[in-house]
Each structure stands twice: as structure tokens, then as C-alpha cells.
Amino acid sequence: MDSLTQIVLGAAVGEAVLGKKIGNKAMLYGAIAGTIPDLDIFASYFTDTVSALEFHRGFTHSIFFSVLFAPIFGWLISKIERRSIASWKDWSLLMFWGLFTHPILDSFTTWGTQLFWPFETRLAFRNIFVIDPLYTLPFLLFLIMAMRSKRGSKKRREFNNLGLIISSSYLVITLILKGVTYFQFKNALEEQGYEYSQIETKPAPFNSILWTANVELEDAYLIGDYSLLDSKPIEFKRYLKNHDLLGTLRNEDKINRLIDISNGWFIISEEKGGLYFNDLRF
């Protein structure tokens, strides 16, 4: 998810874990914890583009990273906040949940996350776009209301819990919507006589009403859109795979790594004497 959403989630988790003891500082350090996993984007400054793509949402988004670094970050904060009543164990627990909930949320997006790194399996439910105002804005509103309430008060806890409950409920709703739209696409394909090998569905940018399906045929992909408000039949556009255009490039290491990153959902296009690798998930 986008940085703002991860900050909001981290802050809310920090408040839930330690807010009663230390007030707004729990939100501050929770927000920091929710940001740390995405620092892997700086890998692009130290390595090539393909390697940076592989690294993103890898090690720093794993359970292993959360377990390993939570006590380290907790120890550092306990040294910075020497006068705080929170212990090293308290800070470590806050950091763990802040670090861990970040990749859990990312696993619902199209790109997914390697939660079980070093295993290469990328967990991706593909039921929410990386920026979704319907998820973030209500969550942010309740977090601000909690922040403005007195430390340890019932209102503060209730506002923070409402933000967590409503945002989590929205994720569940998008999973249900994904199931509904999947069967709409599947039925449309059968009605139009298409024989396909696999289908993937995902929400369009910034919403959970409009959905897109990628459908694999033998030599091409179909892409179709369906809105929950639609009454018209679903239309699919056909895009040739053109994988043969790669020629001997198919033996190149970086090309094969790109294919792995795309999970095989890619087409090759030729423009002005150059070849373009298009990842259809995006």
C-alpha cells in the first residue's frame, strides 16, 4: 500500500499496543515501524533495476525481518526514551506489530509480498489497489480523533479500535467483491466461447467498484473490465503475447528474472526498433 496508509496503520497499531502507557509517542513509533519495510526502495540506488524489483517487498517484508529486527529497534528506542515507563519488551512488541502488519496489508495488493522469505512464494490476494481512499481516509479520520483524545481514555481506545475494525472490514468486503466479479468474468468468457488456461482479477486504481480481468489464451491475453454498476455485457480486448520477439534474449538471465517477477503475465511489443516488456498485472 502507499506510504500514508502504512503510516496510518502503523500508528493505529502502535496506539493499540502501547498507547495507554505512553500516549501519542506510541503512534509516532508505530508510524515509523510501519514505514521501515518500504525503505527497501532505496535498493534502486545501489543495484540494477531488475534486482531492485526482486528485492522490493522481499526480505524487509518478511516475518523473519519482523522477528529479527523488532527487538533491535526496541532496544534502540528504549535507549532514546530512557525516561519512558515503557520497557525494552514493550518497545519491541510495538515494533514487531508495526513491522509485521505492513507486509500483511501489502499481501492484499496486486504486487503482493514475500511474507515467507527466504522462500520465493509471493503472497498476493489482489483485492485492493495500492492506493484506495475508501480504506485510508476513514482510518485516518478515526486515528486523528484518537490522537486528540486524552491518553488512556475510553474514547481514545474506541476511536482507534473503530479505525482498525472499519479498515479491516473493508478488506473483507473487497475479498467478497473479488469473488463476485470473478464469477461475472468467468460466466462472460463461457458465454462468449473462450477457452482459456487461467484468469486473474484485480480492482482498478483508487476504488473497489471497477475490476479488471487478465485472461490467458494460447497465443494472446484478453483484458476485460467490469463495474459492479454495469448492466452491459463484458467486452474483452485481445493482446498478442509476442513472446517469440524475444528470440535469443529469452536465454538472458535478466529477461528470465523479469518473467518470474511478472508471474508469466507479460507481452512483448516492438516500437522504433526496440522491444518493450509489459507486465500485464499493472
Side-chain angles (χ1 to χ4, degrees), residues 228-244:
L228 295 169
L229 306 177
D230 268 348
S231 58
K232 297 179 180 179
I234 298 173
E235 295 182 0
F236 295 95
K237 292 184 179 179
R238 185 186 184 96
Y239 297 88
L240 292 175
K241 292 181 177 179
N242 290 328
H243 293 176
D244 57 298

Side-chain angles (χ1 to χ4, degrees), residues 99-120:
L99 294 171
F100 182 59
T101 52
H102 179 122
I104 291 295
L105 180 56
D106 277 344
S107 69
F108 291 96
T109 66
T110 300
W111 184 264
T113 183
Q114 287 180 262
L115 191 64
F116 304 109
W117 184 97
F119 300 103
E120 293 184 1

Side-chain angles (χ1 to χ4, degrees), residues 8 13 28 30 37 43 51 62 82 96 107 109 112 122 177 184 188 206 210 214 226 238 256 259 271 280:
V8 172
V13 168
L28 171 63
S51 297
S62 66
R82 292 179 185 273
F96 171 78
S107 69
T109 66
R122 189 175 289 271
L177 295 180
Q184 290 289 339
F206 313 120
L210 178 63
N214 291 342
Y226 171 74
R238 185 186 184 96
N256 284 297
I259 292 172
E271 295 180 32
L280 293 186

